[in-house]
Amino acid sequence: MSQAVTRSVTAGSAGLLASLDPLLREWLPRQRWFAGKGRPVTGFSLVTAVELLPLDGRLGLYHLLVRAHQPPSPAPGAVPHPGDCYQLLIGVREALPPRLAPALIGHVHDGPLAGRTVYEALYDPRPAEVILEALRTGARIGGLRCERRAEIRAGLVPRVVTAEQSNSSVVYGDAFILKLFRRVLPGVNPDLELPLALAREDCPRVPAPTAWMTADVGEDAYVLGVLQPFVRGATDGWELALRELAKGEDFTAEARALGRATAEVHGALARALPTVSLARLQLTALVDAMAERLEEAAQAVPALRPHAPGLHTAYEALADLAAEGHTWTAQRIHGDLHLGQCLRSPAGRWSLIDFEGEPARPLAERRMAQPVVRDVAGMLRSFDYAAHSAGGPPAPRWAAACRAAYCTGYAEGGGRDPRTDPVLLRACETDKAVYEVVYEARHRPDWLPVPLAAVRRLAADPGSAA
Ligand SMILES: Nc1ncnc2c1ncn2[C@@H]1O[C@H](COP(=O)(O)OP(=O)(O)O)[C@@H](O)[C@H]1O
Ligand SMILES: O=P(O)(O)O[C@H]1O[C@H](CO)[C@@H](O[C@H]2O[C@H](CO)[C@@H](O)[C@H](O)[C@H]2O)[C@H](O)[C@H]1O
């Protein structure tokens, strides 16, 4: 273990946060992973601070969990909230070398860091090495605790992933990838829980966690990061789909393989974790939750409002089936499945990643058993997204063929053909499209027309879901 890791001490000083406060207020809301977009940050409180490299050297390094205070959402019924907790890895230098310019947070004027430059330390190889070393050695530093399931080679060279993400990732020597969660919550994190459960089932479709890091804060444990094997040379399904679309190529063979992979993962999850039967009461709760999400979304995004009555009919049809006595099985699912969560190895093998669920939903809700059709609906929406985003005119026939092939593959992989459940499928696709409208309005307003086009179709035509 490196000297720096063993010498780490808990800092915990309010002065540290006070000196960072004005810089973080400006920097944090600009980050893609910042969850509280649209509301100002009015202050911060420190949850934990651990000094990973001492300030007296050329490079200081702090691991911080900070709570960002924001006024409550203006949505009717929104409850006051203590503020989201974010994980920050803060590097401190006298001056920033030009290669680290994109990582700049700012120059500190007051407090213990006065006169120094602070920056997003993951971009810097040395801090990234410190984190890997902690994981490799199962270190405990202040409240930080690392655990590992397998050996990790020393000396792997880090590089930060620069793609747009909800979290932040570092690749180590093309052998491992570490995801550091940005908005962290106390409790079980499905992105660790489910891949661990799948590893116990020897499911080869999901990279098994190699090591992970947790913070103990009082009675609570926050999962901070997960290291897993890196699929070398992989292309994600989104990139691949757009590439094939641009060339006018058929994607149905891949869509079918993706359907098989999804069904295999669902099968393994059903073996690993409890399944339940959704009878009338639970189905009513499911339908009510969908309807409530639609109402909240319509409040937040005015463009959705004219379509709300049409969309509600999808939920009413499901409620009618429940009233007639239909039941569905529910189990743990991926929760936010889309083409970008599917990796194709150079040998043509598909893996699924990112089991965090929809980041904006409460953790308890994300960990609930759900009908598998929810994941299927996510993928079907994704083919539609691709067909509307490839640059050329929308390609509805390409999307329809992929959607059908995916359902065929799902049945071949041991699942029930999702098309035998059209009412549930339409309700789930509607719920997903509504989620996407809110997601895009918040994070990528230019993309809003994509889910809105689907909303128009789903509201007007009950048969439009696959
Ligand atoms: N095991 C892996 N092997 C190769 N690349 C990966 C792996 N896991 C993630 N990635 C890459 O990192 C990106 C971000 O990972 P993801 O888990 O989706 O993070 P986020 O939750 O931030 O969206 C993915 O789109 C993928 O390109
Ligand atoms: O991958 P994340 O966990 O960060 O998921 C979030 O971001 C996704 C976009 O990156 C978003 O997915 C939506 O856009 C995709 C194209 O970029 C498309 O393939 C998906 O079907 C669509 O839902 C996802 O919803 C969000 O949770």
PDB file of all heavy atoms in Angstrom, residues 135-152:
ATOM      1  N   LEU A 135      -8.407   0.439  -3.373  1.00  0.00           N
ATOM      2  CA  LEU A 135      -9.275  -0.696  -3.723  1.00  0.00           C
ATOM      3  C   LEU A 135      -8.465  -1.990  -3.762  1.00  0.00           C
ATOM      4  O   LEU A 135      -8.902  -3.034  -3.290  1.00  0.00           O
ATOM      5  CB  LEU A 135      -9.924  -0.451  -5.090  1.00  0.00           C
ATOM      6  CG  LEU A 135     -10.995   0.633  -5.128  1.00  0.00           C
ATOM      7  CD1 LEU A 135     -11.265   1.075  -6.562  1.00  0.00           C
ATOM      8  CD2 LEU A 135     -12.297   0.128  -4.483  1.00  0.00           C
ATOM      9  N   ARG A 136      -7.287  -1.896  -4.327  1.00  0.00           N
ATOM     10  CA  ARG A 136      -6.421  -3.081  -4.510  1.00  0.00           C
ATOM     11  C   ARG A 136      -6.029  -3.689  -3.176  1.00  0.00           C
ATOM     12  O   ARG A 136      -5.878  -4.901  -3.040  1.00  0.00           O
ATOM     13  CB  ARG A 136      -5.168  -2.623  -5.275  1.00  0.00           C
ATOM     14  CG  ARG A 136      -4.429  -3.700  -6.010  1.00  0.00           C
ATOM     15  CD  ARG A 136      -3.227  -3.117  -6.713  1.00  0.00           C
ATOM     16  NE  ARG A 136      -2.161  -2.792  -5.790  1.00  0.00           N
ATOM     17  CZ  ARG A 136      -1.338  -3.670  -5.252  1.00  0.00           C
ATOM     18  NH1 ARG A 136      -1.455  -4.940  -5.552  1.00  0.00           N
ATOM     19  NH2 ARG A 136      -0.400  -3.285  -4.412  1.00  0.00           N
ATOM     20  N   THR A 137      -5.855  -2.801  -2.170  1.00  0.00           N
ATOM     21  CA  THR A 137      -5.340  -3.285  -0.891  1.00  0.00           C
ATOM     22  C   THR A 137      -6.449  -3.427   0.152  1.00  0.00           C
ATOM     23  O   THR A 137      -6.174  -3.723   1.306  1.00  0.00           O
ATOM     24  CB  THR A 137      -4.276  -2.309  -0.364  1.00  0.00           C
ATOM     25  OG1 THR A 137      -4.862  -1.004  -0.307  1.00  0.00           O
ATOM     26  CG2 THR A 137      -3.054  -2.268  -1.264  1.00  0.00           C
ATOM     27  N   GLY A 138      -7.685  -3.175  -0.246  1.00  0.00           N
ATOM     28  CA  GLY A 138      -8.793  -3.261   0.716  1.00  0.00           C
ATOM     29  C   GLY A 138      -8.600  -2.269   1.854  1.00  0.00           C
ATOM     30  O   GLY A 138      -8.857  -2.587   3.026  1.00  0.00           O
ATOM     31  N   ALA A 139      -8.191  -1.038   1.509  1.00  0.00           N
ATOM     32  CA  ALA A 139      -7.824  -0.050   2.541  1.00  0.00           C
ATOM     33  C   ALA A 139      -9.044   0.461   3.310  1.00  0.00           C
ATOM     34  O   ALA A 139     -10.176   0.445   2.816  1.00  0.00           O
ATOM     35  CB  ALA A 139      -7.117   1.129   1.872  1.00  0.00           C
ATOM     36  N   ARG A 140      -8.768   0.912   4.538  1.00  0.00           N
ATOM     37  CA  ARG A 140      -9.755   1.672   5.326  1.00  0.00           C
ATOM     38  C   ARG A 140      -9.095   2.984   5.663  1.00  0.00           C
ATOM     39  O   ARG A 140      -8.026   3.007   6.269  1.00  0.00           O
ATOM     40  CB  ARG A 140     -10.096   0.941   6.612  1.00  0.00           C
ATOM     41  CG  ARG A 140     -11.005  -0.209   6.332  1.00  0.00           C
ATOM     42  CD  ARG A 140     -11.230  -1.097   7.503  1.00  0.00           C
ATOM     43  NE  ARG A 140     -12.019  -2.214   7.019  1.00  0.00           N
ATOM     44  CZ  ARG A 140     -13.236  -2.507   7.435  1.00  0.00           C
ATOM     45  NH1 ARG A 140     -13.810  -1.787   8.377  1.00  0.00           N
ATOM     46  NH2 ARG A 140     -13.894  -3.530   6.931  1.00  0.00           N
ATOM     47  N   ILE A 141      -9.704   4.081   5.243  1.00  0.00           N
ATOM     48  CA  ILE A 141      -9.109   5.394   5.431  1.00  0.00           C
ATOM     49  C   ILE A 141     -10.198   6.302   5.966  1.00  0.00           C
ATOM     50  O   ILE A 141     -11.153   6.593   5.251  1.00  0.00           O
ATOM     51  CB  ILE A 141      -8.605   5.980   4.089  1.00  0.00           C
ATOM     52  CG1 ILE A 141      -7.848   4.914   3.289  1.00  0.00           C
ATOM     53  CG2 ILE A 141      -7.757   7.211   4.326  1.00  0.00           C
ATOM     54  CD1 ILE A 141      -7.848   5.172   1.806  1.00  0.00           C
ATOM     55  N   GLY A 142     -10.044   6.760   7.210  1.00  0.00           N
ATOM     56  CA  GLY A 142     -11.135   7.519   7.810  1.00  0.00           C
ATOM     57  C   GLY A 142     -12.383   6.652   7.716  1.00  0.00           C
ATOM     58  O   GLY A 142     -12.361   5.460   8.006  1.00  0.00           O
ATOM     59  N   GLY A 143     -13.483   7.229   7.240  1.00  0.00           N
ATOM     60  CA  GLY A 143     -14.718   6.447   7.101  1.00  0.00           C
ATOM     61  C   GLY A 143     -14.788   5.683   5.789  1.00  0.00           C
ATOM     62  O   GLY A 143     -15.786   5.028   5.495  1.00  0.00           O
ATOM     63  N   LEU A 144     -13.756   5.771   4.949  1.00  0.00           N
ATOM     64  CA  LEU A 144     -13.798   5.079   3.653  1.00  0.00           C
ATOM     65  C   LEU A 144     -13.354   3.627   3.830  1.00  0.00           C
ATOM     66  O   LEU A 144     -12.375   3.351   4.517  1.00  0.00           O
ATOM     67  CB  LEU A 144     -12.873   5.765   2.635  1.00  0.00           C
ATOM     68  CG  LEU A 144     -13.104   7.244   2.367  1.00  0.00           C
ATOM     69  CD1 LEU A 144     -12.146   7.747   1.293  1.00  0.00           C
ATOM     70  CD2 LEU A 144     -14.549   7.486   1.934  1.00  0.00           C
ATOM     71  N   ARG A 145     -14.080   2.725   3.179  1.00  0.00           N
ATOM     72  CA  ARG A 145     -13.810   1.305   3.345  1.00  0.00           C
ATOM     73  C   ARG A 145     -13.814   0.641   1.972  1.00  0.00           C
ATOM     74  O   ARG A 145     -14.764   0.796   1.210  1.00  0.00           O
ATOM     75  CB  ARG A 145     -14.933   0.723   4.214  1.00  0.00           C
ATOM     76  CG  ARG A 145     -14.792  -0.693   4.626  1.00  0.00           C
ATOM     77  CD  ARG A 145     -15.691  -0.973   5.834  1.00  0.00           C
ATOM     78  NE  ARG A 145     -17.014  -0.360   5.796  1.00  0.00           N
ATOM     79  CZ  ARG A 145     -18.087  -0.929   5.247  1.00  0.00           C
ATOM     80  NH1 ARG A 145     -17.997  -2.106   4.668  1.00  0.00           N
ATOM     81  NH2 ARG A 145     -19.268  -0.320   5.273  1.00  0.00           N
ATOM     82  N   CYS A 146     -12.738  -0.066   1.635  1.00  0.00           N
ATOM     83  CA  CYS A 146     -12.668  -0.752   0.340  1.00  0.00           C
ATOM     84  C   CYS A 146     -12.738  -2.260   0.552  1.00  0.00           C
ATOM     85  O   CYS A 146     -12.155  -2.787   1.503  1.00  0.00           O
ATOM     86  CB  CYS A 146     -11.358  -0.409  -0.370  1.00  0.00           C
ATOM     87  SG  CYS A 146     -11.244   1.347  -0.753  1.00  0.00           S
ATOM     88  N   GLU A 147     -13.454  -2.933  -0.345  1.00  0.00           N
ATOM     89  CA  GLU A 147     -13.539  -4.398  -0.290  1.00  0.00           C
ATOM     90  C   GLU A 147     -13.276  -4.929  -1.677  1.00  0.00           C
ATOM     91  O   GLU A 147     -13.612  -4.269  -2.666  1.00  0.00           O
ATOM     92  CB  GLU A 147     -14.950  -4.830   0.124  1.00  0.00           C
ATOM     93  CG  GLU A 147     -15.258  -4.527   1.571  1.00  0.00           C
ATOM     94  CD  GLU A 147     -16.691  -4.898   1.903  1.00  0.00           C
ATOM     95  OE1 GLU A 147     -17.036  -6.088   1.799  1.00  0.00           O
ATOM     96  OE2 GLU A 147     -17.456  -3.974   2.231  1.00  0.00           O
ATOM     97  N   ARG A 148     -12.693  -6.132  -1.746  1.00  0.00           N
ATOM     98  CA  ARG A 148     -12.494  -6.697  -3.096  1.00  0.00           C
ATOM     99  C   ARG A 148     -12.779  -8.187  -3.119  1.00  0.00           C
ATOM    100  O   ARG A 148     -12.661  -8.859  -2.103  1.00  0.00           O
ATOM    101  CB  ARG A 148     -11.103  -6.379  -3.607  1.00  0.00           C
ATOM    102  CG  ARG A 148      -9.981  -7.015  -2.848  1.00  0.00           C
ATOM    103  CD  ARG A 148      -8.648  -6.660  -3.485  1.00  0.00           C
ATOM    104  NE  ARG A 148      -7.566  -6.897  -2.561  1.00  0.00           N
ATOM    105  CZ  ARG A 148      -7.035  -8.097  -2.340  1.00  0.00           C
ATOM    106  NH1 ARG A 148      -7.475  -9.151  -2.980  1.00  0.00           N
ATOM    107  NH2 ARG A 148      -6.056  -8.242  -1.457  1.00  0.00           N
ATOM    108  N   ARG A 149     -13.195  -8.650  -4.309  1.00  0.00           N
ATOM    109  CA  ARG A 149     -13.538 -10.069  -4.507  1.00  0.00           C
ATOM    110  C   ARG A 149     -12.442 -10.811  -5.240  1.00  0.00           C
ATOM    111  O   ARG A 149     -12.472 -12.020  -5.333  1.00  0.00           O
ATOM    112  CB  ARG A 149     -14.794 -10.186  -5.389  1.00  0.00           C
ATOM    113  CG  ARG A 149     -16.097  -9.941  -4.720  1.00  0.00           C
ATOM    114  CD  ARG A 149     -17.208 -10.055  -5.758  1.00  0.00           C
ATOM    115  NE  ARG A 149     -17.496 -11.422  -6.160  1.00  0.00           N
ATOM    116  CZ  ARG A 149     -17.388 -11.892  -7.390  1.00  0.00           C
ATOM    117  NH1 ARG A 149     -16.966 -11.125  -8.372  1.00  0.00           N
ATOM    118  NH2 ARG A 149     -17.694 -13.137  -7.670  1.00  0.00           N
ATOM    119  N   ALA A 150     -11.537 -10.075  -5.892  1.00  0.00           N
ATOM    120  CA  ALA A 150     -10.515 -10.733  -6.714  1.00  0.00           C
ATOM    121  C   ALA A 150      -9.249  -9.897  -6.699  1.00  0.00           C
ATOM    122  O   ALA A 150      -9.287  -8.723  -6.309  1.00  0.00           O
ATOM    123  CB  ALA A 150     -11.036 -10.888  -8.140  1.00  0.00           C
ATOM    124  N   GLU A 151      -8.161 -10.514  -7.131  1.00  0.00           N
ATOM    125  CA  GLU A 151      -6.868  -9.816  -7.178  1.00  0.00           C
ATOM    126  C   GLU A 151      -6.903  -8.689  -8.213  1.00  0.00           C
ATOM    127  O   GLU A 151      -7.551  -8.811  -9.250  1.00  0.00           O
ATOM    128  CB  GLU A 151      -5.759 -10.796  -7.598  1.00  0.00           C
ATOM    129  CG  GLU A 151      -5.439 -11.846  -6.551  1.00  0.00           C
ATOM    130  CD  GLU A 151      -4.916 -11.212  -5.269  1.00  0.00           C
ATOM    131  OE1 GLU A 151      -4.011 -10.359  -5.362  1.00  0.00           O
ATOM    132  OE2 GLU A 151      -5.430 -11.554  -4.188  1.00  0.00           O
ATOM    133  N   ILE A 152      -6.165  -7.636  -7.908  1.00  0.00           N
ATOM    134  CA  ILE A 152      -6.024  -6.525  -8.855  1.00  0.00           C
ATOM    135  C   ILE A 152      -4.522  -6.280  -8.999  1.00  0.00           C
ATOM    136  O   ILE A 152      -3.835  -6.140  -7.984  1.00  0.00           O
ATOM    137  CB  ILE A 152      -6.711  -5.252  -8.305  1.00  0.00           C
ATOM    138  CG1 ILE A 152      -8.199  -5.528  -8.056  1.00  0.00           C
ATOM    139  CG2 ILE A 152      -6.513  -4.069  -9.240  1.00  0.00           C
ATOM    140  CD1 ILE A 152      -8.888  -4.486  -7.187  1.00  0.00           C
TER     141      ILE A 152
END
